[in-house]
Structure formats: structure tokens, C-alpha cells
Amino acid sequence: MEYLGNKAVLNAHKTAFLCSRQVGSRAVLRCYDWATDICKEEGVVVSGFQSKIERDVLHFLLRGNKPIITPVRDKDLLRKVPIA
């Protein structure tokens, strides 16, 4: 298996984030609040960051310096994620 970044994050507590492509506005706001709150906690967020909301959450996570694990298939996404 190939990987980029800090392999030690694989040993950290992980929280998965998955979101449908069709989401109501109340749920969107709750996702944004969750992303802001999770940045204050220990651990790593795991997601594919494929849907619009998942990509929005990625923005919050990167701004908060939250470690993430993602199966990177999207070269545009790879450019956005800082490799530690």
C-alpha cells in the first residue's frame, strides 16, 4: 500500500465523516458546526471528501489543522491537502 504523509496518524483515534450528495439546509449547518468542533478534539477524520458537503467540511478541517486520512484518487484534492 502506498501512502503520503505522517504514518503515525494511522494509530490515532479515527472518526469517519460521510455525507449524501442531497442534504437539507439544517443538516448542512450541523455539518459545519461539527467540523468546527471536531478540530478542537484529538484524533483524525477519515473521509473520501467526494460530496459537496464533504469538501466543505474538508475546508474547515484544513483551516483547523485537523489531521485527515483519505483515499486520494482526485488529483485536485491532493493539491489542496498539505502533506505532513
Side-chain angles (χ1 to χ4, degrees):
M1 174 180 2
E2 293 182 44
Y3 69 91
L4 295 172
N6 183 352
K7 199 171 182 179
V9 299
L10 297 175
N11 296 322
H13 174 77
K14 295 167 209 58
T15 302
F17 180 74
L18 305 169
C19 188
S20 173
R21 293 182 186 271
Q22 297 177 354
V23 180
S25 57
R26 266 180 77 189
V28 170
L29 294 176
R30 288 180 23 213
C31 288
Y32 294 165
D33 289 342
W34 175 84
T36 302
D37 291 343
I38 198 77
C39 286
K40 300 171 191 167
E41 298 178 15
E42 294 293 320
V44 178
V45 174
V46 181
S47 181
F49 302 108
Q50 295 296 310
S51 73
K52 169 77 168 97
I53 301 304
E54 289 173 350
R55 287 180 182 259
D56 289 347
V57 164
L58 175 63
H59 170 78
F60 285 99
L61 298 176
L62 294 177
R63 194 172 70 191
N65 293 316
K66 185 70 173 171
I68 63 165
I69 297 173
T70 185
V72 178
R73 295 179 304 256
D74 182 338
K75 289 183 182 182
D76 289 333
L77 177 62
L78 183 58
R79 286 187 210 115
K80 294 177 188 176
V81 176
I83 306 299

